């Protein structure tokens, strides 16, 4: 173990006199088979510098009850949703428990010791009868870095203390560098997991999980909690005069939260497993609930502090709250917003969307349409809240005259769909941000993963390419939905059907769906082309455009491209500039991204906006700062490339005309009014337009580096055959097709008759 550097504040509290008389409930972990004086971990604590001899005394505390709860016992209980009140740093109760009698000459030492004890136990010798709860310190969100996590022993590096984070996920294989928990090197009651808060912190509780593993069943069933100001001398939380034992997990995935009977103030906290699953090992994933004490001189706090200046509603919103907030924004900005719904969820909740445009409710000729969706996995809550914050932000900034926002609103028709899966969200919201685990609420009410519930059009297109049906029998775009998928008996969620109808109705050009649990932007294809291959680079014909779009979001995010940031789980996407081809990460058939690209004109990407799927609401201001610029920059990319209108000689727009770009094997089509938008990177392109009954027309269009799509209009004329057909249909006649010899004979006969 490496001795830690003590802060000035800790040094001032722990004077030599105070240390000699420190009233501590030292970690009583002698219930195992090995005696405390024989355990080298304990011996190491006693031999650290300046602490070779520490007098251990016990002090009784008021009786308390062991309060622990398990989601299965009280599923309706919610995590408190108010902001953490860190202003109440000390309990007003006075110390009733008195120290043991000692000679008069040691009175000063006892007084100093009591000061130290009071700095650790906020109840000043007596636990408060009112429990408090602070927000998570940030093991899951990575605010607590690896160097702040320590353990008595580890089984191997991949199961080290740095992996003991709530909801961390393991790799596919055992024995790799990215396993799913901290696991002790040996199974006995002398093991511990330690967090260094790097400043005095008011600790109020602990949340635990077992090991994330497909092959192992490891979890802790009970534990003690110890705190310290110097990492040398430890106080065990007490139940009267007995060490307090917290009941922990019954299986490995459902988080269990234990709130302390009263807050304790210290710098270090340890979790000491006392019992564990009989057929498993000591393995834990942990989150600590704690409020940092006020200290403006603390370097670590100032270095990581992120403050937002936006006056927005930073909290988690239930379905009712979300609907109300959308109504409030609509009333604030009635001239640029419109609320509508695209359908209903399986339980009947409406899927509300809000439109932001200078002419809401209308498609303006030449104006591109953009969409953000979130919450297809109901437990990935951050994206939902980000869209609600974006909605508020754009309204307020538009009213304040922000030219960037005004230009975006006036030149773009923006659609925000915050909750694709409201049924799943309500399940996760009911238990709270820290207790929903990794998967509660992910699926729809009928157990369907909405994001991967779309028809697999990739296989249809690739089979047609192998058979050389393109473009003779099939187009390379707007791949039709197979009949079996549209049948009533198909396993298709009602939410998915609503999304498809919405995507077909609106001429979307660019879209992003916000996901959670990682920090990366993925782009199509999401399915590998080689059968049976789990990971394989599978680019689209527009791969260069997709890579730019993905990078535009990742590069403006505060953390995605930070080479020094820690990986969320197993993959370090920062090495790839925070972006990755979906299929090279993991194959997934029927994704929303692939369907959007192959069935519509819309280029769709997935933004995984945070390691924590359901962050505590105290984290929302920082997460907003992390993603705000990225959300705006990505929307602005809808104006990159070329745009125009395809008209006939009479100036009428031609719908469903095909726009082809030389060298790119993916076409798009014009909207109902004949307008189109083709996302392209800077360069010169040969663009061809063709429509049924019209002559094929080509021209060169150049895309510059400045923001704003290049105008590239087309006027095309009818072919002679289409004109003849139009005339014949108009006069209800059919064209006469006679053999040449018959025509010559008729003309000869007419000449002889003089006609």
């Amino acid at each position: 173990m490496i001795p830690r550097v003590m802060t000035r504040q800790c040094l001032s509290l722990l004077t030599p006199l105070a240390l000699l008389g420190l009233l501590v409930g030292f970690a009583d972990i002698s219930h195992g088979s090995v005696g405390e004086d024989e355990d080298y971990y304990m011996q190491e604590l006693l031999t650290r510098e300046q602490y070779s001899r520490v007098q251990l005394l016990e002090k009784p505390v008021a009786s308390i009850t062991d309060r622990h709860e398990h989601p299965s016992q009280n599923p309706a209980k919610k995590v408190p949703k108010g902001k953490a009140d860190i202003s109440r740093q000390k309990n007003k109760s006075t110390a009733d428990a008195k120290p043991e009698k000692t000679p008069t000459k040691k009175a000063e030492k006892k007084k100093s010791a009591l000061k130290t004890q009071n700095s650790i136990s906020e109840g000043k010798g007596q636990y408060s009868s009112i429990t408090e709860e602070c927000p998570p310190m940030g093991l899951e969100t990575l605010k607590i870095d690896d160097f702040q996590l320590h353990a008595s022993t580890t089984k191997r590096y991949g199961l080290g203390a740095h992996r003991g984070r709530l909801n961390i996920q393991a790799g596919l294989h055992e024995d790799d560098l990215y396993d799913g928990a901290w696991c002790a090197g040996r199974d006995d009651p002398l093991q511990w997991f330690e967090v260094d808060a790097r400043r005095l912190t008011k600790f109020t509780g602990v949340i635990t999980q077992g090991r994330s593993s497909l092959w192992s069943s490891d979890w802790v069933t009970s534990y003690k909690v110890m705190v310290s100001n110097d990492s040398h001398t430890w106080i065990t939380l007490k139940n009267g005069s007995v060490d307090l034992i917290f009941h922990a997990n019954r299986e490995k995935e459902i988080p269990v939260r234990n709130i302390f009977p009263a807050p304790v103030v210290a710098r270090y906290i340890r979790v000491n497993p006392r019992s564990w699953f009989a057929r498993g090992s000591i393995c834990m994933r942990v989150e600590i609930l704690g409020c940092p004490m006020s200290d403006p001189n603390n370097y670590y706090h100032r270095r990581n502090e992120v403050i937002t200046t936006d006056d927005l509603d930073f909290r988690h919103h239930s379905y009712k709250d979300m609907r109300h907030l959308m109504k409030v924004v609509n009333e604030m900005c009635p001239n640029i917003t419109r609320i509508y719904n695209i359908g209903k969820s399986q339980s009947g909740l409406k899927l509300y969307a809000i439109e932001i445009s200078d002419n809401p409710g209308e498609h303006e000729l030449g104006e591109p349409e953009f969409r953000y969706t979130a919450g297809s996995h109901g437990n990935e809550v951050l994206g939902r809240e980000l869209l609600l914050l974006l909605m508020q932000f754009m309204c307020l900034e538009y009213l304040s005259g922000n030219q960037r926002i005004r230009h975006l609103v006036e030149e773009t028709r923006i659609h925000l769909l915050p909750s694709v899966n409201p049924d799943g969200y309500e399940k996760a919201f009911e238990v709270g941000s820290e207790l929903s685990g990794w998967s509660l609420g992910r699926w729809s009410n009928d157990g369907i993963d909405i994001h991967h519930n779309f028809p697999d059009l990739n296989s249809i297109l690739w089979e047609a390419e192998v058979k050389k049906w393109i473009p003779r029998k099939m187009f390379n775009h707007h791949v039709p939905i197979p009949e079996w998928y549209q049948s009533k008996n198909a396993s298709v969620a009602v939410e998915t059907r609503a999304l498809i109808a919405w995507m077909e109705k609106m001429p979307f050009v660019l879209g992003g769906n916000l996901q959670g649990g990682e920090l990366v932007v993925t782009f199509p294809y999401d399915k590998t082309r080689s059968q049976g291959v789990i990971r394989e680079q599978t680019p689209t014909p527009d791969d260069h455009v997709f890579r730019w779009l993905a990078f535009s979001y990742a590069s403006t995010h505060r953390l995605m491209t930070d080479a020094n940031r820690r990986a969320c789980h197993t993959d370090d996407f920062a090495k790839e500039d925070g972006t990755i081809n979906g299929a090279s990460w993991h194959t997934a058939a029927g994704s929303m991204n692939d369907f959007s690209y192959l069935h519509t004109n819309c280029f769709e990407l997935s933004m995984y906006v945070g390691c924590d799927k359901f962050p505590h609401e105290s984290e929302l201001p920082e997460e907003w700062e992390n993603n705000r610029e990225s959300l705006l920059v990505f929307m602005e990319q809808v104006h990159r490339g070329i745009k125009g209108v395809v008209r006939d000689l009479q100036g009428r727009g031609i719908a469903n005309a095909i726009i082809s770009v030389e060298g790119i094997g993916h076409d798009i089509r014009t909207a109902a009014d004949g307008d189109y938008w083709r996302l392209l990177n800077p360069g010169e392109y040969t663009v061809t337009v063709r429509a049924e009954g019209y002559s094929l027309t080509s021209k060169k269009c150049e895309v510059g580096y400045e923001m704003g799509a290049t105008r590239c209009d087309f006027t095309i004329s009818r072919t002679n055959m289409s004109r003849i057909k139009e005339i014949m249909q108009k006069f209800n006649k059919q064209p006469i097709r006679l053999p040449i010899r018959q025509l010559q004979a008729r003309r000869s006969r007419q000449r002889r008759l003089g006609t």
Side-chain angles (χ1 to χ4, degrees):
M1 301 286 292
I2 302 174
R4 298 172 179 79
V5 179
M6 300 176 63
T7 63
R8 293 182 178 180
Q9 189 169 5
C10 291
L11 285 172
S12 65
L13 291 171
L14 299 178
T15 62
L17 290 176
L19 289 168
L20 290 175
L22 184 63
L23 301 178
V24 294
F26 194 69
D28 180 11
I29 51 177
S30 60
H31 297 173
S33 59
V34 181
E36 181 178 355
D37 59 340
E38 297 174 348
D39 181 70
Y40 67 93
Y41 304 114
M42 294 295 102
Q43 291 297 326
E44 191 276 337
L45 288 176
L46 297 177
T47 55
R48 291 187 185 186
E49 56 182 307
Q50 301 183 22
Y51 297 97
S52 58
R53 290 188 178 183
V54 178
Q55 183 180 0
L56 303 179
L57 301 175
E58 290 188 356
K59 182 172 74 104
V61 294
S63 177
I64 55 176
T65 57
D66 177 7
R67 298 185 55 182
H68 106 280
E69 59 186 358
H70 193 283
S72 62
Q73 296 174 337
N74 191 6
K77 187 167 182 66
K78 298 181 182 179
V79 175
K81 293 295 173 186
K83 292 184 178 180
D85 182 7
I86 62 174
S87 63
R88 296 175 296 173
Q89 297 174 359
K90 292 191 175 181
N91 199 311
K92 294 183 179 180
S93 62
T94 58
D96 294 330
K98 297 181 180 180
E100 297 178 1
K101 291 184 178 181
T102 55
T104 305
K105 63 181 181 179
K106 295 185 178 180
E108 293 299 321
K109 294 182 179 180
K110 289 169 55 181
K111 185 177 181 180
S112 178
L114 281 173
K115 290 182 180 179
T116 302
Q117 174 71 8
N118 290 341
S119 73
I120 296 179
S121 177
E122 187 166 353
K124 292 188 177 182
Q126 191 176 48
Y127 285 112
S128 170
S129 61
I130 301 176
T131 60
E132 296 182 48
E133 184 176 352
C134 288
M137 291 181 59
L139 275 76
E140 183 176 6
T141 61
L142 306 183
K143 291 181 71 173
I144 298 296
D145 63 40
D146 290 349
F147 297 105
Q148 294 176 257
L149 305 178
H150 308 274
S152 53
T153 60
T154 58
K155 186 169 292 187
R156 61 174 182 272
Y157 177 79
L159 292 168
H162 64 292
R163 302 296 295 176
R165 301 173 180 271
L166 190 72
N167 284 321
I168 201 166
Q169 300 298 296
L172 295 176
H173 309 286
E174 299 286 347
D175 301 325
D176 61 12
L177 297 178
Y178 302 101
D179 226 314
W182 160 68
C183 290
R186 66 190 201 192
D187 296 327
D188 61 45
L190 305 175
Q191 308 304 310
W192 45 261
F193 176 85
E194 177 183 313
V195 180
D196 175 8
R198 287 180 170 165
R199 62 184 299 179
L200 287 180
T201 300
K202 179 169 66 177
F203 298 115
T204 62
V206 175
I207 303 172
T208 59
Q209 279 176 311
R211 177 181 175 184
S212 169
S213 173
L214 296 174
W215 323 106
S216 303
S217 297
D218 305 308
W219 63 85
V220 169
T221 57
S222 68
Y223 58 85
K224 294 181 182 179
V225 174
M226 300 174 284
V227 293
S228 172
N229 271 345
D230 60 4
S231 81
H232 299 273
T233 305
W234 294 86
I235 291 179
T236 302
L237 299 192
K238 297 282 187 177
N239 182 6
S241 60
V242 180
D243 290 349
L244 188 57
I245 302 294
F246 294 96
H247 297 283
N249 300 85
R250 299 176 180 177
E251 52 83 69
K252 58 187 177 182
E253 289 298 336
I254 299 177
V256 174
R257 180 187 59 191
N258 282 291
I259 303 301
F260 301 159
V264 289
V265 176
R267 170 175 170 173
Y268 302 92
I269 186 169
R270 277 184 181 177
V271 178
N272 165 223
R274 305 301 297 176
S275 60
W276 47 93
F277 180 53
R279 294 189 295 276
S281 302
I282 296 178
C283 294
M284 301 183 76
R285 289 178 286 170
V286 179
E287 182 62 82
I288 304 296
L289 304 178
C291 300
M293 305 299 285
S294 179
D295 183 6
N297 297 320
N298 187 284
Y299 164 73
Y300 297 106
H301 175 68
R302 287 185 287 107
R303 183 186 66 175
N304 298 320
E305 189 175 24
V306 177
I307 300 175
T308 183
T309 59
D310 297 325
D311 185 17
L312 307 175
D313 187 15
F314 292 106
R315 63 187 179 93
H316 288 299
H317 296 80
S318 66
Y319 178 80
K320 183 178 179 180
D321 293 336
M322 178 190 73
R323 185 177 57 185
H324 176 71
L325 181 60
M326 295 174 82
K327 184 178 179 181
V328 169
V329 172
N330 177 243
E331 291 173 350
M332 288 179 60
C333 299
N335 295 329
I336 63 167
T337 62
R338 177 179 71 98
I339 301 173
Y340 65 99
N341 74 82
I342 68 167
K344 293 183 178 181
S345 70
Q346 197 272 341
S347 69
L349 299 179
K350 292 182 179 180
L351 307 181
Y352 284 108
I354 187 166
E355 175 190 341
I356 303 176
S357 172
D358 57 344
N359 286 297
E362 298 180 14
H363 170 73
E364 298 182 63
L365 185 69
E367 185 171 279
E369 307 221 8
F370 176 93
R371 70 167 180 257
Y372 269 134
T373 61
S376 58
H377 299 144
N379 63 328
E380 295 173 8
V381 175
L382 179 55
R384 169 193 176 108
E385 296 304 328
L386 287 176
L387 292 192
L388 294 179
L389 292 169
L390 179 64
M391 169 187 73
Q392 301 171 61
F393 176 79
M394 295 192 70
C395 172
L396 292 173
E397 292 299 304
Y398 184 89
L399 294 177
S400 67
N402 184 319
Q403 290 303 308
R404 180 186 186 188
I405 300 301
R406 280 186 168 270
H407 181 267
L408 196 55
V409 171
E410 292 167 1
E411 299 297 327
T412 319
R413 191 182 183 197
I414 302 166
H415 304 259
L416 307 179
L417 179 61
S419 189
V420 173
N421 182 9
D423 296 345
Y425 172 80
E426 291 299 306
K427 294 178 182 177
F429 180 78
E430 185 178 14
V431 299
S433 59
E434 278 65 62
L435 301 183
S436 59
W438 190 249
S439 59
L440 179 64
R442 175 183 176 89
W443 299 279
S444 66
N445 258 7
D446 40 7
I448 295 175
D449 185 336
I450 297 174
H451 185 68
H452 299 106
N453 188 221
F454 293 82
D456 177 14
L457 303 183
N458 305 59
S459 298
I460 297 174
L461 175 67
W462 294 337
E463 182 181 359
E465 289 177 348
V466 171
K467 294 180 178 180
K468 302 186 183 303
W469 286 355
I470 296 175
R472 184 169 47 88
K473 291 185 178 181
M474 181 176 166
F475 295 112
N476 62 11
H477 64 288
H478 283 226
V479 179
I481 298 174
E483 293 184 6
W484 66 265
Y485 184 88
Q486 303 179 58
S487 67
K488 294 183 179 180
N489 296 328
S491 297
V492 182
V494 293
E495 296 89 345
T496 310
R497 295 190 189 278
L499 282 173
I500 292 176
W502 185 49
M503 296 162 72
E504 291 178 333
K505 179 181 178 181
M506 302 289 188
F508 292 117
V509 180
L510 179 62
N513 53 82
L514 306 188
Q515 311 284 336
E518 262 297 351
L519 272 174
V520 68
V521 181
T522 68
F523 51 89
Y525 289 122
D526 289 333
K527 179 183 178 180
T528 58
R529 185 155 188 166
S530 302
Q531 294 185 355
V533 178
I534 298 176
R535 295 184 176 186
E536 178 184 64
Q537 188 79 18
T538 310
T540 66
D542 285 287
D543 187 61
H544 55 297
V545 178
F546 274 115
R547 288 184 180 276
W548 167 255
L549 294 171
F551 185 71
S552 71
Y553 192 98
S555 62
T556 50
H557 190 279
R558 286 188 61 252
L559 300 175
M560 279 190 187
T561 56
D562 183 0
N564 296 320
R565 75 170 178 87
R566 186 195 185 283
C568 292
H569 301 284
T570 61
D571 296 295
D572 187 2
F573 295 112
K575 295 179 180 178
E576 305 294 334
D577 291 326
T579 68
I580 192 171
N581 172 255
S584 65
W585 183 15
H586 55 76
T587 185
S591 74
M592 183 176 180
N593 296 350
D594 288 2
F595 173 82
S596 180
Y597 180 68
L598 294 177
H599 186 67
T600 73
N601 289 341
C602 185
F603 286 31
E604 182 97 5
L605 294 84
S606 292
M607 292 79 176
Y608 291 79
V609 292
C611 298
D612 190 349
K613 289 183 176 182
F614 197 157
H616 191 273
E617 63 184 21
S618 63
E619 300 290 335
L620 293 179
E622 182 172 346
E623 293 294 354
W624 168 245
E625 289 297 316
N626 290 343
N627 289 276
R628 179 184 58 192
E629 182 64 17
S630 300
L631 290 167
L632 297 175
V633 167
F634 186 75
M635 280 195 290
E636 291 170 338
Q637 303 311 304
V638 76
H639 297 285
R640 178 174 295 277
I642 60 174
K643 68 176 182 179
V645 182
V646 178
R647 296 184 174 91
D648 61 16
L649 295 177
Q650 286 72 42
R652 297 171 297 191
I654 300 173
N656 217 32
I658 298 174
I659 311 295
S660 302
V661 179
E662 184 178 348
I664 301 178
H666 180 81
D667 304 334
I668 63 165
R669 299 197 182 194
T670 57
D673 297 327
D675 45 353
Y676 77 93
W677 308 264
R678 182 56 164 98
L679 297 177
L680 293 168
N681 285 341
E684 186 176 85
Y685 300 91
T686 299
V687 182
T688 301
V689 174
R690 63 182 184 275
E692 185 176 357
Y694 290 87
S695 301
L696 183 145
T697 304
S698 299
K699 68 165 58 175
K700 288 190 179 295
C701 304
E702 186 173 352
V703 178
Y705 287 91
E706 65 280 356
M707 185 57 67
T710 301
R711 188 86 186 190
C712 201
D713 295 324
F714 289 86
T715 300
I716 56 179
S717 58
R718 304 291 296 270
T719 61
N720 292 334
M721 181 58 69
S722 66
R723 290 175 180 174
I724 293 173
K725 289 182 178 180
E726 184 178 359
I727 293 171
M728 292 296 112
Q729 291 175 358
K730 182 177 181 180
F731 293 98
N732 197 24
K733 295 181 179 180
Q734 297 296 325
I736 300 174
R737 293 189 178 92
L738 296 175
I740 295 177
R741 291 182 179 178
Q742 292 184 11
L743 289 174
Q744 292 175 344
R746 175 179 292 182
R747 290 171 182 171
S748 177
R749 193 163 49 251
Q750 290 174 346
R751 283 195 298 269
R752 287 198 302 270
L753 295 175
T755 60

